[in-house]
Amino acid sequence: MSNSTTENGVSSYSGTMIAVNAVIAVAVALGAVWVANGFNVFYERLDRVSPTADGGGIGTAFAQGNDIGWLVFMVEAIHAIDVLMGLFILVLVFVHWSAFRRLAGRMRQPGESRAMPDGGDTDTENGGDTQ
Amino acid sequence: MTNLDHGKFTRMTTVFHSLLAMDVFFLFFTGYAIMFNDELWWMLTLMGGSGSVAALHRVFGVGLLALITFWALMMVTTDTGRSNFSEVLPTPDDAKAFVQDIQFVLGNAEERHPNARQFAGGTADEIPLLSYVGKGVIFIFAVELALLTLSGLLIWSKTGLMQYFATQTAAIAFVVFHGLLGVVMLMGIMFHIFEHGFHPAFFPVETKAFIPRSMIPEHHDDDDEGTGIERLQLSSGWASASNLAGAATVIGIVSVLTASIYDTGYPVSLELLVGGGPTNLLLTVGVNIGMLVLFFGMVLSVYGNLVRIRWEQQMAQEEGAEAEAAD
């Protein structure tokens, strides 16, 4: 489908074609840069901070004598805080994700008519996804 | 229409929120391009290498220092600011709201607790200014931003404040501490983007943080029971968009958390691995997805401001039409 017609009869672009062409356009742009760059996958030879002491990374010059207890503790503690907070934040994400799904189930679904159902005994009215 | 749902902040707060967001996004992009250089090498290169990125990070750092100082002053020196203190204090209801959110997800509760409800609708009278998540965001971000600014200033210049700690080793420990501290904020912001971009009633963004409350007319029907969410129509793109964003948020959080565990770098003598760990394709993809979530948050923030501008124009037009009719 290269184009579609909207409700008022005006020709317009279909969403699918916009998405497909956008993906192609990004691929062409990245591909062109890749070609211009010389056909190498370029990540390993770029300006990385050499990550080891042997490789001369940050701090290699003073890789001695760092036995300051409270600094070791501070870094270890913040690692632990990261992990604990990370797990808690993940719980919050999942709780909200699920709550949003349940709330969405109560809303009028896309394309549903504007009139409220009579009697109120449809599946969606009380949160159809509670089972 | 209530200003809890559509425009909750003052004009100052909406502008502050947008500026803070932009500044923090750029601090993330520059800071984590350095710390996660294994996974974000392209970002480091794109911004001109580690020297350039460190310089940019300092520029945005100055911005952050100015912003949080301004905010602290506003909260202390104005009546509106001081009156907010009581709104921010956690209450037992906030703990109940968290428990009830879990119950709601499990199907054991019919509604979210008023202290959790993002969409107030017809129940606006019961809803406090800040949800339990909102209060948590303010507390955690306040502590995080204060510690990040403090440790950031300490490592600003290795020959400046850092000389008081005497050793270069101590300096690197503070650099590592600074980076690891930001991880909590990084994960929190990803959740924040999901929470306020993908609520089904507000998708794709809650305007309450972008349209000042002074611009929202306040009237609601009291005869309705409940929030009235069942009268709203779900956006046709919501289901796939929220699943995609939820997955990206989870992958992003798990990946930056995993990457941060490997990125220790202190004590340096044992094994120097700033940006070390396994060169892992999966982790690389995951951390990059995390950055995508941040980028998406930045786009949503801009979009929220666009919505405010359109709303302003519409209000101006309607007022103009009313004035003409009166003539």
Side-chain angles (χ1 to χ4, degrees):
Chain A
M1 192 166 67
S2 63
N3 58 26
S4 61
T5 307
T6 56
E7 283 166 17
N8 58 4
V10 181
S11 161
S12 101
Y13 299 107
S14 87
T16 322
M17 289 310 293
I18 292 173
V20 169
N21 286 333
V23 170
I24 293 173
V26 171
V28 167
L30 289 178
V33 172
W34 182 51
V35 168
N37 198 51
F39 301 105
N40 293 313
V41 174
F42 47 86
Y43 66 94
E44 279 299 338
R45 62 185 178 78
L46 289 187
D47 274 349
R48 292 178 54 206
V49 178
S50 246
T52 61
D54 291 341
I58 291 176
T60 309
F62 41 92
Q64 301 274 328
N66 52 343
D67 49 359
I68 306 169
W70 65 273
L71 284 179
V72 177
F73 172 77
M74 198 175 70
V75 171
E76 294 298 325
I78 195 72
H79 265 304
I81 291 170
D82 279 345
V83 172
L84 292 176
M85 287 303 292
L87 292 176
F88 179 62
I89 290 168
L90 279 174
V91 168
L92 283 180
V93 172
F94 284 115
V95 164
H96 280 76
W97 194 350
S98 318
F100 289 173
R101 290 181 67 84
R102 196 170 167 202
L103 289 171
R106 291 181 180 177
M107 291 169 68
R108 288 190 297 117
Q109 299 307 300
E112 209 174 275
S113 75
R114 203 165 170 79
M116 289 289 288
D118 278 336
D121 55 352
T122 59
D123 282 341
T124 52
E125 205 193 21
N126 260 328
D129 55 347
T130 55
Q131 297 303 309
Chain B
M1 183 172 264
T2 79
N3 56 30
L4 273 176
D5 285 331
H6 302 285
K8 182 158 79 165
F9 297 162
T10 61
R11 176 173 291 273
M12 187 281 283
T13 310
T14 58
V15 174
F16 177 83
H17 173 256
S18 292
L19 290 177
L20 183 69
M22 283 298 148
D23 198 86
V24 166
F25 281 129
F26 282 112
L27 281 169
F28 281 154
F29 290 140
T30 50
Y32 287 103
I34 297 174
M35 181 163 154
F36 295 148
N37 68 82
D38 268 340
E39 292 86 12
L40 299 173
W41 74 92
W42 61 272
M43 225 180 225
L44 197 69
T45 312
L46 206 64
M47 291 185 284
S50 51
S52 158
V53 170
L56 285 172
H57 192 74
R58 284 177 167 84
V59 171
F60 294 114
V62 177
L64 181 68
L65 188 56
L67 282 168
I68 60 175
T69 308
F70 167 78
W71 180 259
L73 286 173
M74 288 303 290
M75 288 304 103
V76 174
T77 58
T78 65
D79 287 340
T80 313
R82 280 192 300 270
S83 72
N84 283 341
F85 283 127
S86 57
E87 302 274 5
V88 174
L89 293 177
T91 63
D93 273 343
D94 294 315
K96 281 183 204 152
F98 174 61
V99 174
Q100 188 167 330
D101 253 2
I102 293 171
Q103 297 291 344
F104 180 70
V105 166
L106 296 174
N108 299 333
E110 276 310 299
E111 291 291 346
R112 294 181 82 184
H113 192 281
N115 284 40
R117 225 170 279 166
Q118 288 167 256
F119 176 69
T123 62
D125 298 340
E126 308 166 22
I127 310 288
L129 182 68
L130 291 165
S131 68
Y132 76 96
V133 178
K135 289 178 184 178
V137 164
I138 289 177
F139 270 100
I140 292 169
F141 285 16
V143 172
E144 277 274 309
L145 288 176
L147 288 175
L148 281 167
T149 308
L150 193 68
S151 57
L153 283 174
L154 280 172
I155 59 180
W156 186 277
S157 157
K158 307 297 174 287
T159 52
L161 282 181
M162 210 58 234
Q163 66 182 313
Y164 298 114
F165 291 93
T167 66
Q168 289 173 305
T169 320
I172 203 73
F174 270 92
V175 173
V176 170
F177 178 78
H178 184 74
L180 290 175
L181 195 63
V183 171
V184 177
M185 185 99 180
L186 185 64
M187 297 183 296
I189 296 276
M190 287 187 204
F191 163 64
H192 187 71
I193 293 166
F194 179 74
E195 187 204 357
H196 294 294
F198 294 91
H199 189 290
F202 296 114
F203 173 76
V205 73
E206 290 184 34
T207 60
K208 60 176 81 156
F210 297 101
I211 301 181
R213 61 187 174 205
S214 56
M215 289 171 58
I216 297 293
E218 176 80 4
H219 58 83
H220 37 96
D221 305 327
D222 287 336
D223 48 333
D224 285 333
E225 263 187 48
T227 58
I229 197 170
E230 62 284 344
R231 282 154 60 188
L232 300 177
Q233 184 166 34
L234 187 62
S235 159
S236 60
W238 179 83
S240 41
S242 68
N243 283 337
L244 212 61
T249 306
V250 170
I251 292 171
I253 291 174
V254 170
S255 299
V256 298
L257 184 58
T258 312
S260 81
I261 292 170
Y262 289 114
D263 289 1
T264 285
Y266 191 88
V268 267
S269 64
L270 303 178
E271 208 178 356
L272 182 60
L273 287 173
V274 178
T279 310
N280 186 325
L281 185 64
L282 208 60
L283 199 57
T284 303
V285 172
V287 170
N288 277 279
I289 287 177
M291 293 300 122
L292 193 70
V293 172
L294 293 184
F295 180 75
F296 187 64
M298 206 162 76
V299 172
L300 281 186
S301 180
V302 172
Y303 179 68
N305 281 293
L306 274 177
V307 171
R308 190 201 69 243
I309 292 165
R310 284 191 213 151
W311 173 254
E312 270 171 335
Q313 285 171 346
Q314 194 182 326
M315 295 284 277
Q317 268 177 3
E318 281 174 12
E319 273 169 26
E322 271 173 29
E324 268 180 38
D327 291 339

